[in-house]
């Protein structure tokens, strides 16, 4: 009977050691899983932060695009005004030529008036062309920015 008791005690010791090893392994596994969980939480927090920054960037780009669209509209209006101004200058030149023929003014006086009118038209047209160029640049810039935003660039 004593021998059976010794064997049972030895079996109980072996089981106890095995359970101790299993508990130790479980605790180590639990520590590793907690470490992995903290690591993944840190990654998720960084991703949330990046998403917030990207949302803010998108909102800022939307505002910039709206501003450029407004600038393009202003530029188009300026271009139309320039064309209208050029047309009026041509009309004035035609009226001046007609008035010169009708009035029978002296050649010298006609040349003076013509030079003054041409100078005024040239100055106005040059100014209008500069404004049109600026408007075209704004329009081009608006187009490039809109395209870049649309392609995700």
């Amino acid at each position: 009977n004593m021998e059976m008791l010794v064997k049972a005690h030895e079996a109980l010791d072996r089981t106890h050691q095995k359970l101790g090893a299993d508990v130790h392994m479980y605790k180590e596994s639990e520590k590793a899983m907690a470490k992995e969980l903290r690591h993944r939480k840190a990654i998720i927090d960084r991703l949330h932060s990046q998403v917030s920054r990207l949302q803010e960037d998108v909102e800022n780009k939307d505002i910039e695009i709206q501003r450029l669209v407004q600038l393009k509209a202003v530029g188009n209006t300026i271009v139309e005004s320039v064309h209208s101004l050029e047309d009026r200058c041509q009309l004035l030149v035609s009226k001046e030529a007609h008035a010169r023929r009708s009035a029978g003014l002296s050649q010298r006086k006609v040349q003076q008036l013509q030079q003054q009118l041409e100078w005024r038209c040239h100055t106005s047209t040059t100014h209008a062309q500069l404004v049109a160029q600026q408007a075209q640049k704004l329009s081009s810039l608006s187009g490039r920015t809109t395209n870049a935003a649309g392609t995700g660039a």
Side-chain angles (χ1 to χ4, degrees):
N1 225 1
M2 189 65 150
E3 194 176 306
M4 257 178 120
L5 240 117
V6 168
K7 285 185 180 182
H9 192 276
E10 287 173 354
L12 189 61
D13 280 346
R14 283 192 303 272
T15 303
H16 185 265
Q17 287 175 355
K18 186 174 181 338
L19 283 175
D22 286 349
V23 165
H24 178 71
M25 193 171 71
Y26 172 78
K27 286 182 179 181
E28 290 299 316
S29 175
E30 190 177 56
K31 286 179 189 177
M33 286 175 20
K35 183 178 178 181
E36 180 66 20
L37 187 62
R38 285 190 304 273
H39 175 71
R40 289 183 182 193
K41 185 180 180 323
I43 290 172
I44 289 170
D45 289 345
R46 282 195 304 273
L47 289 174
H48 278 293
S49 176
Q50 288 175 349
V51 166
S52 294
R53 282 194 306 273
L54 287 173
Q55 285 174 333
E56 188 176 315
D57 287 349
V58 166
E59 290 169 4
N60 289 339
K61 289 297 178 187
D62 283 344
I63 291 169
E64 186 178 337
I65 287 169
Q66 290 171 3
R67 187 174 88 11
L68 289 172
V69 166
Q70 290 170 347
L71 284 174
K72 184 177 181 179
V74 168
N76 289 341
T77 302
I78 291 171
V79 168
E80 290 172 11
S81 297
V82 166
H83 290 310
S84 174
L85 182 58
E86 288 173 341
D87 291 344
R88 284 189 280 164
C89 281
Q90 289 300 321
L91 183 62
L92 285 173
V93 168
S94 296
K95 284 183 178 182
E96 183 271 335
H98 177 70
R100 178 176 38 127
R101 286 190 300 273
S102 299
L105 297 173
S106 70
Q107 185 63 26
R108 187 164 176 246
K109 185 67 175 173
V110 167
Q111 285 176 342
Q112 269 184 333
L113 290 173
Q114 186 176 8
Q115 286 173 349
Q116 287 175 357
L117 186 57
E118 285 175 358
W119 174 251
R120 286 182 186 154
C121 282
H122 172 73
T123 304
S124 295
T125 301
T126 302
H127 178 70
Q129 287 171 344
L130 289 173
V131 172
Q133 288 172 357
Q134 288 293 351
Q136 189 63 38
K137 285 180 186 176
L138 285 173
S139 179
S140 296
L141 175 65
S142 176
R144 282 197 307 268
T145 303
T146 302
N147 289 340
T151 59

